[in-house]
């Protein structure tokens, strides 16, 4: 049947919108690389930047071969727990998906491994990165994505059989992306243990500040920019009109989502600024950057279904969660150089709960039913929407923590048992750049007093 020119134009604009959003999300890899590089010591800068590249290239292959099929395979054998179609993009394009949708979802998948890399930075063998990045991007993350984002998923708000009559609302992935990456990083850091010298003989923390605040701030702004593809882009289509209004449609939701994202991150940043000022006695740019990101992580779940004022509430408590978890981490001698488990795991968990409390019914219907008239859905508990949505949100939170723990925990332990997870103390003290990558990222840095060239490092090992 011949397609009308109006339909062709609409489809073209929607595809351009989705591809542009995919490019923005991929730009976040550069943001992660800069943030990670600035947050570690100079002797490990090349290593952490290389791991970010590896996350992208390894994740690309694993997501192409298996991940997309596990996440969105919806053929005759589809089920609520795992996809069974589209391996290696066979039968793509289809009536459901095209290449632009794959590219957008691929950009999400490689972000998950980048989160986990930050938790185990400065002490991990490079071969271990290759293993866990492939497994996380190709299997662990896609299964969760299927549960929540596939129309067949048992947690999906678009399923024909809604959990608690609602389904879990995780619009852009506070749980699917950030909580998955954060819990995986938690297990990696716990099994590896803290970096050499991170805590003294009495268990007191020893400060190991990142070497370059400029890179941290640059990475934060790049991530902020990319988040405008991450959250608003998750509508997938921008030219979808709402039947009850001639001047509103997905384009309205896209704008609102960008506003709530900005307000949550900004609020979290300023609360962190003053909160850390009270705790440590000075204004800390690096803490503020993490606070901003914590607000973004938290709002990612409900960005499309909450009012702007609620986004401010989200950001305020996200900052409190991040500050509190960082204090607890030091008390427990838990070492996470990027605060990834606290930031992505803790704030991601809060984001799921927040959505269950503050989601607005009108926006839920617009987002998941294209504003259809006569539809009712559970919405935020604090707005009178009952317990259905908050129950589904808590169910998602618990199953993600459980799933990632039973998959990534044993994987990290197996790598540890095989002695291919953590580098030796001597290599760690010398720095991963010189011990594993042939030289430092910089020609000279005042922090470094060890060998400057790889040959000098090898001669020291022979002594």
């Amino acid at each position: 049947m011949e397609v009308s020119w109006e339909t062709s134009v609409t489809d073209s604009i929607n595809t351009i919108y989705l591809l542009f959003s995919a490019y923005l999300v991929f730009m976040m890899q550069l943001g992660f690389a800069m943030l990670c590089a600035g947050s570690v010591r100079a002797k490990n800068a090349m290593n952490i930047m290389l791991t970010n590249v590896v996350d992208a290239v390894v994740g690309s292959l694993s997501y192409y071969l298996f991940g997309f099929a596990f996440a969105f395979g919806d053929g005759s054998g589809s089920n609520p727990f795992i996809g069974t179609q589209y391996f290696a993009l066979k039968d793509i394009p289809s009536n459901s998906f095209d290449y632009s949708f794959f590219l957008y979802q691929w950009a999400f998948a490689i972000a998950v491994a980048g989160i986990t890399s930050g938790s185990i930075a400065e002490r991990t063998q490079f071969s271990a990165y290759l293993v866990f990045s492939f497994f996380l991007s190709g299997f662990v993350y896609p299964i969760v994505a299927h549960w929540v984002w596939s129309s067949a998923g048992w947690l999906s708000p678009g399923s024909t059989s809604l959990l608690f009559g609602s389904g879990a609302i995780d619009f852009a992935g506070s749980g699917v992306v950030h909580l998955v990456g954060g819990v995986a990083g938690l297990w990696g850091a716990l099994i590896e243990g803290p970096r050499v010298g991170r805590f003294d003989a009495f268990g007191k923390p020893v400060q190991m500040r990142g070497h370059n605040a400029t890179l941290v701030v640059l990475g934060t702004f790049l991530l902020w920019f990319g988040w405008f593809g991450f959250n608003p882009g998750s509508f997938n289509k921008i030219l979808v009109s709402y039947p009850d209004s001639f001047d509103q449609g997905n384009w309205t939701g896209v704008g609102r989502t960008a506003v709530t994202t900005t307000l949550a991150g900004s609020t979290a940043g300023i609360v962190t600024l003053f909160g850390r000022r009270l705790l440590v006695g000075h204004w800390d740019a690096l803490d503020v950057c993490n606070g901003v990101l914590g607000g973004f992580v938290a709002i990612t779940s409900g960005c499309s279904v909450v009012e702007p004022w609620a986004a401010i509430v989200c950001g305020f408590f996200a900052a409190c969660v991040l500050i509190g978890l960082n204090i607890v981490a030091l008390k427990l001698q838990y070492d996470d150089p990027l605060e990834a488990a606290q930031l992505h795991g803790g704030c991601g968990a809060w984001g799921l709960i927040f959505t269950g409390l503050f989601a607005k019914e009108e926006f839920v219907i617009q987002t998941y039913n294209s504003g259809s008239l006569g539809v009712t859905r559970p919405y935020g508990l604090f707005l009178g929407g009952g317990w259905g949505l908050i129950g589904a949100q808590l169910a998602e939170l618990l199953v993600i923590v459980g799933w990632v723990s039973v998959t990534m925990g044993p994987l990290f332990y197996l790598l540890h048992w095989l002695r291919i997870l953590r580098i030796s103390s001597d290599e760690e003290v010398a720095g991963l750049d010189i011990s594993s990558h042939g030289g430092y990222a910089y020609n000279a840095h005042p922090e470094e007093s060890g060998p400057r060239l790889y040959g000098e490092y090898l001669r020291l090992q022979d002594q």
Side-chain angles (χ1 to χ4, degrees), residues 162 268 284 287 304 406 412 450:
L162 297 172
D284 195 312
D287 286 335
S304 65
V406 300
F412 279 119

Side-chain angles (χ1 to χ4, degrees), residues 210-441:
H211 80 282
N212 195 320
T214 303
L215 290 179
V216 172
V217 174
L218 174 62
T220 301
F221 277 113
L222 285 170
L223 288 168
W224 190 332
F225 182 61
W227 236 290
F228 290 130
F230 206 92
N231 287 2
S234 290
F235 277 94
N236 294 334
K237 297 178 180 179
I238 192 169
L239 287 185
V240 176
S241 60
Y242 301 149
D244 61 337
S245 176
F246 69 90
D247 61 347
Q248 290 192 48
N250 271 8
W251 56 87
T252 314
V254 165
R256 183 180 63 249
T257 299
V259 170
T260 56
T261 300
T262 300
L263 290 175
S266 300
T267 303
I270 200 164
V271 172
T272 305
L273 174 69
F274 285 98
R276 292 295 295 172
R277 174 68 172 82
L278 293 173
L279 290 172
V280 301
H282 61 265
W283 310 101
D284 195 312
L286 305 187
D287 286 335
V288 172
C289 288
N290 274 352
V292 170
L293 298 178
F296 290 152
V297 168
I299 196 62
T300 293
S301 170
C303 53
S304 65
V305 297
V306 299
E307 293 273 14
W309 64 263
I312 294 175
V313 176
C314 177
F316 178 89
F317 285 101
C320 297
V321 168
L322 180 59
I323 293 172
L325 288 179
N326 281 333
I327 293 173
V328 172
L330 291 180
K331 294 289 186 182
L332 298 178
Q333 297 186 33
Y334 171 79
D335 183 23
D336 187 327
L338 273 293
E339 301 176 5
Q342 302 94 296
L343 196 161
H344 296 275
C347 294
W350 157 242
L352 291 176
I353 296 170
F354 159 79
T355 303
L357 300 176
F358 290 95
K360 184 176 179 179
E361 184 179 23
E362 177 189 357
F363 296 162
V364 174
I365 294 172
Q366 288 178 356
T367 300
Y368 292 103
N369 300 96
S370 299
S372 298
L373 300 175
V375 175
T376 59
R377 296 186 67 119
Y379 52 103
L381 178 64
F382 286 175
L383 302 184
W387 293 90
L389 178 57
I390 187 66
Q393 299 299 104
L394 291 173
E396 181 188 347
L397 195 164
L398 293 174
V399 296
I400 287 176
V401 172
W403 168 250
V404 179
S405 296
V406 300
T407 50
M408 294 303 296
L411 175 65
F412 279 119
Y413 185 79
L414 177 63
L415 294 174
H416 171 73
W417 182 74
L418 294 174
R419 300 184 183 278
I420 58 174
L421 180 59
R422 181 162 184 160
I423 59 175
S424 68
S425 297
D426 288 342
E427 291 176 312
E428 186 176 339
V429 171
L432 281 161
D433 288 2
I434 192 67
S435 63
S436 301
H437 305 293
Y440 294 115

Side-chain angles (χ1 to χ4, degrees), residues 57-120:
V57 297
V58 172
S60 297
L61 294 176
S62 64
Y63 197 69
Y64 161 75
L65 292 171
F66 319 109
F68 185 77
F70 288 149
F72 295 101
D74 59 357
S76 57
S78 65
N79 62 78
F81 299 99
I82 188 171
T84 57
Q85 190 183 13
Y86 305 136
F87 291 98
L89 296 188
K90 186 178 183 297
D91 299 323
I92 295 290
S94 68
N95 291 332
S96 303
F97 309 114
D98 60 9
Y99 292 116
S100 59
F101 184 79
F102 165 80
L103 192 74
Y104 185 66
Q105 296 300 329
W106 156 79
F108 275 65
I110 61 175
V112 179
I115 294 168
T116 305
S117 298
S119 292
I120 57 177

Side-chain angles (χ1 to χ4, degrees), residues 426-427 430 434-435 451 453-462:
D426 288 342
E427 291 176 312
I434 192 67
S435 63
L453 301 174
Y454 185 61
E456 296 175 7
Y457 168 76
L458 291 178
R459 284 193 292 273
L460 285 175
Q461 299 306 300
D462 293 335

